[in-house]
Amino acid sequence: MTPTQTEPDTRTYEVRAIAPETLAQLLIRDDAGQHRQAFTDREGGAPLRCCLRRSTAGERIALVSYAPLRRWAAETGAEPGAYDECGPVFVHADACGGPPPGDNYPAALHGERRVLRAYDARGHILGGRLIESPRAHTTEAEQAIATLLADPAVALVHVRAVEFGCFFFEVRTRISTEGLPGHSTTPLT
């Protein structure tokens, strides 16, 4: 069911990290077809896309090539064509428990400047938005995501770094399951 003018808008969004099964595949052979070597992060601070937090000094991590739109397209049957791209992401070098429960914007990965890139159901870019806000304040990013996802043509949003263009995480629209056992959602307001 889609919201109408007489029904409340119950759409929500979910923030998606790199899934554990995808992480396992990337550690064997990444999306560029390479086997990358794990290393010990001596300083910490690498943005880990498998658990949506920054690494700590001494953790074993890997820098792998990841094609987020290609993987989404394989799941949905979309044909992104030229919009398919592959880029570097940091991940744990071993199995990861993923991010903490909940669908909130991961404040640990928020930075001064982020780009929100909106895609349609074909995997084609519809537009984007530049977010510039202090690291501790995620409200602007959450509101911008909600605005982008309020457009029924938007199927998903990628959150990326401005400076390097690196993929951070994916955000998808879903219909609210509020009130169902085991479901937590972030309302689009």
Side-chain angles (χ1 to χ4, degrees), residues 10-19 52 72 75-76 99-106 142 145-146 149-150 154-159 167-177 182-188:
T10 58
R11 288 175 294 166
T12 58
Y13 67 84
E14 61 182 328
V15 172
R16 292 183 166 217
I18 292 176
L52 304 181
W72 170 81
E75 179 185 320
T76 63
D103 298 326
N104 297 330
Y105 187 95
E142 290 169 340
I145 289 168
L149 291 173
V154 175
L156 73 153
V157 173
H158 284 179
V159 177
F167 171 84
F168 270 89
F169 56 90
E170 177 181 295
V171 185
R172 294 190 195 181
T173 299
R174 70 170 172 207
I175 300 301
S176 177
T177 54
H183 289 84
S184 167
T185 57
T186 300
L188 292 175

Short mmCIF file of all heavy atoms in Angstrom, two decimals, residues 10-19 52 72 75-76 99-106 142 145-146 149-150 154-159 167-177 182-188:
data_model
loop_
_atom_site.label_atom_id
_atom_site.label_comp_id
_atom_site.label_asym_id
_atom_site.label_seq_id
_atom_site.Cartn_x
_atom_site.Cartn_y
_atom_site.Cartn_z
N THR A 10 3.48 6.49 6.27
CA THR A 10 4.11 5.58 7.21
C THR A 10 5.43 5.04 6.68
O THR A 10 5.94 4.07 7.20
CB THR A 10 3.17 4.40 7.56
OG1 THR A 10 2.85 3.73 6.33
CG2 THR A 10 1.92 4.89 8.25
N ARG A 11 5.96 5.68 5.63
CA ARG A 11 7.24 5.22 5.11
C ARG A 11 8.34 5.54 6.11
O ARG A 11 8.31 6.55 6.81
CB ARG A 11 7.54 5.88 3.77
CG ARG A 11 6.66 5.34 2.67
CD ARG A 11 6.89 6.08 1.41
NE ARG A 11 6.43 7.45 1.60
CZ ARG A 11 6.71 8.45 0.79
NH1 ARG A 11 7.44 8.24 -0.26
NH2 ARG A 11 6.25 9.65 1.02
N THR A 12 9.31 4.69 6.15
CA THR A 12 10.48 4.87 7.01
C THR A 12 11.71 4.56 6.17
O THR A 12 11.60 4.17 5.02
CB THR A 12 10.42 3.93 8.23
OG1 THR A 12 10.35 2.60 7.75
CG2 THR A 12 9.24 4.24 9.11
N TYR A 13 12.85 4.74 6.78
CA TYR A 13 14.05 4.36 6.07
C TYR A 13 14.88 3.42 6.92
O TYR A 13 14.75 3.38 8.14
CB TYR A 13 14.86 5.56 5.60
CG TYR A 13 15.50 6.41 6.68
CD1 TYR A 13 16.73 6.06 7.24
CD2 TYR A 13 14.91 7.59 7.11
CE1 TYR A 13 17.33 6.85 8.18
CE2 TYR A 13 15.51 8.39 8.06
CZ TYR A 13 16.73 8.01 8.59
OH TYR A 13 17.33 8.80 9.53
N GLU A 14 15.72 2.65 6.22
CA GLU A 14 16.65 1.79 6.92
C GLU A 14 18.04 2.05 6.39
O GLU A 14 18.25 2.15 5.19
CB GLU A 14 16.26 0.32 6.80
CG GLU A 14 16.23 -0.23 5.41
CD GLU A 14 15.80 -1.69 5.38
OE1 GLU A 14 16.09 -2.42 6.32
OE2 GLU A 14 15.18 -2.06 4.38
N VAL A 15 18.97 2.19 7.30
CA VAL A 15 20.38 2.38 6.98
C VAL A 15 20.99 0.99 6.83
O VAL A 15 20.79 0.14 7.69
CB VAL A 15 21.07 3.18 8.10
CG1 VAL A 15 22.57 3.22 7.90
CG2 VAL A 15 20.48 4.58 8.19
N ARG A 16 21.72 0.78 5.74
CA ARG A 16 22.28 -0.54 5.46
C ARG A 16 23.80 -0.50 5.38
O ARG A 16 24.36 0.20 4.53
CB ARG A 16 21.72 -1.08 4.16
CG ARG A 16 20.25 -1.40 4.26
CD ARG A 16 19.77 -2.00 2.99
NE ARG A 16 18.47 -2.60 3.21
CZ ARG A 16 18.10 -3.72 2.64
NH1 ARG A 16 18.89 -4.36 1.82
NH2 ARG A 16 16.90 -4.21 2.88
N ALA A 17 24.42 -1.28 6.23
CA ALA A 17 25.86 -1.49 6.18
C ALA A 17 26.14 -2.61 5.19
O ALA A 17 25.21 -3.26 4.69
CB ALA A 17 26.36 -1.89 7.57
N ILE A 18 27.41 -2.87 4.92
CA ILE A 18 27.76 -4.04 4.11
C ILE A 18 27.38 -5.27 4.93
O ILE A 18 27.81 -5.44 6.07
CB ILE A 18 29.26 -4.04 3.76
CG1 ILE A 18 29.55 -2.88 2.81
CG2 ILE A 18 29.68 -5.37 3.15
CD1 ILE A 18 31.02 -2.71 2.46
N ALA A 19 26.55 -6.13 4.35
CA ALA A 19 26.02 -7.31 5.04
C ALA A 19 27.13 -8.33 5.32
O ALA A 19 28.12 -8.40 4.57
CB ALA A 19 24.93 -7.96 4.19
N LEU A 52 29.51 0.32 10.48
CA LEU A 52 29.17 1.74 10.51
C LEU A 52 29.71 2.46 11.74
O LEU A 52 29.02 3.22 12.42
CB LEU A 52 27.65 1.94 10.36
CG LEU A 52 27.04 1.31 9.12
CD1 LEU A 52 25.55 1.59 9.07
CD2 LEU A 52 27.74 1.75 7.85
N TRP A 72 23.21 -4.02 -5.29
CA TRP A 72 21.78 -3.70 -5.16
C TRP A 72 21.05 -4.12 -6.43
O TRP A 72 19.96 -4.68 -6.36
CB TRP A 72 21.62 -2.20 -4.90
CG TRP A 72 20.21 -1.72 -4.97
CD1 TRP A 72 19.26 -1.81 -3.99
CD2 TRP A 72 19.58 -1.10 -6.08
NE1 TRP A 72 18.07 -1.27 -4.44
CE2 TRP A 72 18.25 -0.83 -5.72
CE3 TRP A 72 20.01 -0.75 -7.36
CZ2 TRP A 72 17.34 -0.22 -6.57
CZ3 TRP A 72 19.11 -0.13 -8.21
CH2 TRP A 72 17.79 0.12 -7.82
N GLU A 75 20.34 -7.74 -6.63
CA GLU A 75 19.26 -8.11 -5.70
C GLU A 75 17.89 -7.73 -6.24
O GLU A 75 16.91 -8.44 -6.03
CB GLU A 75 19.52 -7.39 -4.37
CG GLU A 75 18.52 -7.62 -3.29
CD GLU A 75 18.82 -6.77 -2.07
OE1 GLU A 75 19.99 -6.63 -1.69
OE2 GLU A 75 17.85 -6.26 -1.48
N THR A 76 17.81 -6.60 -6.96
CA THR A 76 16.52 -6.06 -7.38
C THR A 76 16.20 -6.27 -8.86
O THR A 76 15.07 -6.01 -9.27
CB THR A 76 16.47 -4.55 -7.10
OG1 THR A 76 17.47 -3.89 -7.88
CG2 THR A 76 16.66 -4.24 -5.62
N PRO A 99 26.34 -3.35 12.42
CA PRO A 99 26.06 -2.17 13.25
C PRO A 99 25.11 -2.50 14.39
O PRO A 99 24.45 -3.54 14.37
CB PRO A 99 25.40 -1.20 12.26
CG PRO A 99 24.82 -2.07 11.20
CD PRO A 99 25.69 -3.30 11.12
N PRO A 100 25.02 -1.61 15.37
CA PRO A 100 24.07 -1.84 16.46
C PRO A 100 22.65 -1.82 15.91
O PRO A 100 22.38 -1.24 14.85
CB PRO A 100 24.32 -0.68 17.41
CG PRO A 100 25.09 0.33 16.65
CD PRO A 100 25.76 -0.37 15.52
N PRO A 101 21.71 -2.46 16.60
CA PRO A 101 20.32 -2.49 16.14
C PRO A 101 19.75 -1.09 15.99
O PRO A 101 20.17 -0.16 16.67
CB PRO A 101 19.58 -3.25 17.24
CG PRO A 101 20.62 -3.95 18.03
CD PRO A 101 21.89 -3.17 17.87
N GLY A 102 18.81 -0.96 15.09
CA GLY A 102 18.16 0.32 14.84
C GLY A 102 18.49 0.80 13.44
O GLY A 102 19.39 0.31 12.79
N ASP A 103 17.73 1.76 12.99
CA ASP A 103 17.87 2.27 11.62
C ASP A 103 18.35 3.71 11.59
O ASP A 103 18.21 4.39 10.60
CB ASP A 103 16.53 2.17 10.89
CG ASP A 103 16.06 0.75 10.76
OD1 ASP A 103 16.90 -0.14 10.62
OD2 ASP A 103 14.84 0.53 10.81
N ASN A 104 18.89 4.19 12.68
CA ASN A 104 19.28 5.59 12.76
C ASN A 104 20.51 5.88 11.92
O ASN A 104 21.34 5.01 11.67
CB ASN A 104 19.55 5.97 14.21
CG ASN A 104 18.31 5.86 15.06
OD1 ASN A 104 17.20 6.03 14.59
ND2 ASN A 104 18.50 5.54 16.33
N TYR A 105 20.64 7.14 11.54
CA TYR A 105 21.83 7.61 10.84
C TYR A 105 23.02 7.37 11.76
O TYR A 105 23.01 7.76 12.92
CB TYR A 105 21.67 9.10 10.54
CG TYR A 105 22.75 9.66 9.67
CD1 TYR A 105 22.57 9.75 8.30
CD2 TYR A 105 23.95 10.09 10.21
CE1 TYR A 105 23.56 10.27 7.49
CE2 TYR A 105 24.94 10.61 9.41
CZ TYR A 105 24.75 10.70 8.04
OH TYR A 105 25.74 11.20 7.25
N PRO A 106 24.07 6.71 11.26
CA PRO A 106 25.21 6.38 12.13
C PRO A 106 26.08 7.60 12.42
O PRO A 106 26.92 8.00 11.61
CB PRO A 106 25.97 5.32 11.34
CG PRO A 106 25.58 5.54 9.93
CD PRO A 106 24.20 6.13 9.95
N GLU A 142 19.71 13.53 8.46
CA GLU A 142 18.48 12.74 8.58
C GLU A 142 17.33 13.42 7.85
O GLU A 142 16.54 12.76 7.16
CB GLU A 142 18.14 12.52 10.05
CG GLU A 142 19.13 11.58 10.73
CD GLU A 142 18.98 11.55 12.25
OE1 GLU A 142 18.41 12.51 12.82
OE2 GLU A 142 19.45 10.58 12.84
N ILE A 145 17.87 13.11 4.03
CA ILE A 145 17.54 11.74 3.59
C ILE A 145 16.03 11.58 3.51
O ILE A 145 15.49 11.06 2.53
CB ILE A 145 18.16 10.70 4.53
CG1 ILE A 145 19.68 10.65 4.34
CG2 ILE A 145 17.55 9.31 4.30
CD1 ILE A 145 20.43 9.86 5.40
N ALA A 146 15.32 12.04 4.53
CA ALA A 146 13.86 11.94 4.54
C ALA A 146 13.26 12.69 3.36
O ALA A 146 12.34 12.20 2.71
CB ALA A 146 13.31 12.48 5.86
N LEU A 149 13.97 10.66 0.12
CA LEU A 149 13.17 9.44 0.07
C LEU A 149 11.67 9.70 0.01
O LEU A 149 10.90 8.79 -0.31
CB LEU A 149 13.51 8.52 1.25
CG LEU A 149 14.91 7.91 1.20
CD1 LEU A 149 15.21 7.16 2.49
CD2 LEU A 149 15.07 7.00 0.00
N ALA A 150 11.24 10.92 0.30
CA ALA A 150 9.83 11.26 0.17
C ALA A 150 9.39 11.28 -1.29
O ALA A 150 8.21 11.15 -1.59
CB ALA A 150 9.54 12.61 0.84
N VAL A 154 12.46 7.85 -5.89
CA VAL A 154 13.75 7.49 -5.28
C VAL A 154 13.65 6.11 -4.64
O VAL A 154 12.82 5.87 -3.77
CB VAL A 154 14.19 8.53 -4.23
CG1 VAL A 154 15.46 8.09 -3.50
CG2 VAL A 154 14.41 9.88 -4.90
N ALA A 155 14.52 5.19 -5.09
CA ALA A 155 14.55 3.83 -4.55
C ALA A 155 15.56 3.69 -3.43
O ALA A 155 15.35 2.91 -2.50
CB ALA A 155 14.87 2.84 -5.66
N LEU A 156 16.66 4.39 -3.52
CA LEU A 156 17.68 4.32 -2.49
C LEU A 156 18.56 5.55 -2.56
O LEU A 156 18.58 6.27 -3.56
CB LEU A 156 18.53 3.05 -2.61
CG LEU A 156 19.54 2.98 -3.75
CD1 LEU A 156 20.68 2.07 -3.36
CD2 LEU A 156 18.87 2.44 -4.99
N VAL A 157 19.31 5.77 -1.47
CA VAL A 157 20.23 6.89 -1.37
C VAL A 157 21.57 6.34 -0.91
O VAL A 157 21.63 5.53 0.02
CB VAL A 157 19.72 7.95 -0.36
CG1 VAL A 157 20.76 9.03 -0.11
CG2 VAL A 157 18.40 8.55 -0.83
N HIS A 158 22.64 6.78 -1.56
CA HIS A 158 23.99 6.46 -1.09
C HIS A 158 24.53 7.68 -0.36
O HIS A 158 24.39 8.81 -0.84
CB HIS A 158 24.93 6.14 -2.26
CG HIS A 158 24.73 4.79 -2.84
ND1 HIS A 158 25.44 4.33 -3.90
CD2 HIS A 158 23.90 3.77 -2.48
CE1 HIS A 158 25.07 3.10 -4.19
NE2 HIS A 158 24.12 2.75 -3.34
N VAL A 159 25.14 7.44 0.78
CA VAL A 159 25.81 8.49 1.53
C VAL A 159 27.30 8.33 1.24
O VAL A 159 27.85 7.24 1.40
CB VAL A 159 25.51 8.37 3.05
CG1 VAL A 159 26.27 9.44 3.83
CG2 VAL A 159 24.01 8.49 3.30
N PHE A 167 31.95 5.60 -0.92
CA PHE A 167 30.67 5.12 -0.41
C PHE A 167 30.78 4.89 1.10
O PHE A 167 31.74 4.28 1.57
CB PHE A 167 30.31 3.80 -1.12
CG PHE A 167 29.13 3.10 -0.55
CD1 PHE A 167 27.85 3.45 -0.94
CD2 PHE A 167 29.29 2.07 0.36
CE1 PHE A 167 26.75 2.78 -0.42
CE2 PHE A 167 28.20 1.39 0.89
CZ PHE A 167 26.93 1.75 0.50
N PHE A 168 29.79 5.37 1.85
CA PHE A 168 29.74 5.11 3.29
C PHE A 168 28.68 4.07 3.62
O PHE A 168 28.95 3.09 4.27
CB PHE A 168 29.49 6.40 4.08
CG PHE A 168 30.75 7.10 4.46
CD1 PHE A 168 31.31 8.03 3.61
CD2 PHE A 168 31.38 6.82 5.64
CE1 PHE A 168 32.48 8.67 3.94
CE2 PHE A 168 32.56 7.45 5.99
CZ PHE A 168 33.12 8.39 5.13
N PHE A 169 27.44 4.34 3.21
CA PHE A 169 26.37 3.39 3.46
C PHE A 169 25.19 3.71 2.57
O PHE A 169 25.16 4.74 1.90
CB PHE A 169 25.95 3.34 4.95
CG PHE A 169 25.55 4.67 5.52
CD1 PHE A 169 24.23 5.10 5.48
CD2 PHE A 169 26.49 5.48 6.15
CE1 PHE A 169 23.87 6.32 6.02
CE2 PHE A 169 26.13 6.70 6.70
CZ PHE A 169 24.82 7.12 6.64
N GLU A 170 24.23 2.79 2.57
CA GLU A 170 23.04 2.90 1.74
C GLU A 170 21.83 3.11 2.63
O GLU A 170 21.77 2.60 3.74
CB GLU A 170 22.89 1.59 0.96
CG GLU A 170 21.68 1.47 0.10
CD GLU A 170 21.67 0.12 -0.58
OE1 GLU A 170 22.56 -0.15 -1.40
OE2 GLU A 170 20.75 -0.68 -0.28
N VAL A 171 20.87 3.86 2.12
CA VAL A 171 19.61 4.09 2.83
C VAL A 171 18.49 3.75 1.87
O VAL A 171 18.49 4.20 0.73
CB VAL A 171 19.48 5.54 3.32
CG1 VAL A 171 18.22 5.71 4.15
CG2 VAL A 171 20.71 5.98 4.10
N ARG A 172 17.55 2.94 2.33
CA ARG A 172 16.41 2.54 1.50
C ARG A 172 15.10 2.91 2.19
O ARG A 172 15.00 2.90 3.40
CB ARG A 172 16.39 1.03 1.26
CG ARG A 172 17.53 0.53 0.44
CD ARG A 172 17.29 -0.90 0.08
NE ARG A 172 18.50 -1.54 -0.43
CZ ARG A 172 18.55 -2.78 -0.84
NH1 ARG A 172 17.46 -3.55 -0.78
NH2 ARG A 172 19.66 -3.29 -1.28
N THR A 173 14.10 3.17 1.38
CA THR A 173 12.74 3.40 1.86
C THR A 173 12.10 2.05 2.16
O THR A 173 12.38 1.07 1.50
CB THR A 173 11.90 4.10 0.78
OG1 THR A 173 12.49 5.35 0.50
CG2 THR A 173 10.47 4.32 1.24
N ARG A 174 11.24 2.04 3.14
CA ARG A 174 10.40 0.86 3.38
C ARG A 174 9.11 1.31 4.04
O ARG A 174 9.04 2.39 4.61
CB ARG A 174 11.12 -0.17 4.23
CG ARG A 174 11.31 0.27 5.65
CD ARG A 174 11.81 -0.87 6.49
NE ARG A 174 12.15 -0.36 7.79
CZ ARG A 174 13.04 -0.91 8.57
NH1 ARG A 174 13.68 -1.98 8.18
NH2 ARG A 174 13.29 -0.40 9.74
N ILE A 175 8.12 0.47 3.95
CA ILE A 175 6.84 0.75 4.60
C ILE A 175 7.00 0.40 6.08
O ILE A 175 7.59 -0.62 6.43
CB ILE A 175 5.70 -0.07 3.96
CG1 ILE A 175 5.58 0.27 2.48
CG2 ILE A 175 4.39 0.16 4.68
CD1 ILE A 175 5.30 1.73 2.18
N SER A 176 6.44 1.20 6.92
CA SER A 176 6.59 1.02 8.36
C SER A 176 6.04 -0.32 8.83
O SER A 176 4.98 -0.75 8.40
CB SER A 176 5.88 2.14 9.11
OG SER A 176 5.97 1.92 10.50
N THR A 177 6.79 -0.93 9.73
CA THR A 177 6.32 -2.14 10.41
C THR A 177 6.16 -1.82 11.89
O THR A 177 6.18 -2.72 12.72
CB THR A 177 7.33 -3.29 10.22
OG1 THR A 177 8.62 -2.84 10.64
CG2 THR A 177 7.37 -3.74 8.77
N GLY A 182 9.73 -7.02 17.08
CA GLY A 182 11.09 -7.06 16.55
C GLY A 182 11.41 -6.01 15.51
O GLY A 182 12.44 -6.09 14.86
N HIS A 183 10.57 -5.01 15.34
CA HIS A 183 10.82 -3.99 14.33
C HIS A 183 11.01 -2.62 14.96
O HIS A 183 10.21 -2.20 15.77
CB HIS A 183 9.68 -3.93 13.31
CG HIS A 183 9.66 -5.11 12.42
ND1 HIS A 183 9.05 -6.29 12.77
CD2 HIS A 183 10.19 -5.29 11.20
CE1 HIS A 183 9.20 -7.16 11.79
NE2 HIS A 183 9.88 -6.57 10.83
N SER A 184 12.06 -1.94 14.55
CA SER A 184 12.34 -0.58 14.97
C SER A 184 12.54 0.23 13.70
O SER A 184 13.23 -0.18 12.79
CB SER A 184 13.62 -0.56 15.81
OG SER A 184 14.06 0.77 15.97
N THR A 185 11.93 1.41 13.63
CA THR A 185 12.02 2.21 12.42
C THR A 185 12.26 3.66 12.75
O THR A 185 12.00 4.11 13.84
CB THR A 185 10.73 2.11 11.59
OG1 THR A 185 9.64 2.51 12.41
CG2 THR A 185 10.50 0.71 11.07
N THR A 186 12.81 4.39 11.76
CA THR A 186 13.00 5.81 11.90
C THR A 186 11.99 6.50 10.99
O THR A 186 12.07 6.34 9.78
CB THR A 186 14.44 6.21 11.49
OG1 THR A 186 15.33 5.51 12.35
CG2 THR A 186 14.65 7.71 11.62
N PRO A 187 11.02 7.24 11.55
CA PRO A 187 10.00 7.87 10.71
C PRO A 187 10.61 8.93 9.79
O PRO A 187 11.56 9.60 10.15
CB PRO A 187 9.06 8.53 11.72
CG PRO A 187 9.41 7.96 13.03
CD PRO A 187 10.81 7.48 12.96
N LEU A 188 10.02 9.08 8.62
CA LEU A 188 10.37 10.17 7.72
C LEU A 188 9.51 11.34 8.11
O LEU A 188 8.30 11.32 7.94
CB LEU A 188 10.07 9.79 6.26
CG LEU A 188 10.95 8.70 5.67
CD1 LEU A 188 10.45 8.34 4.28
CD2 LEU A 188 12.38 9.15 5.61
#
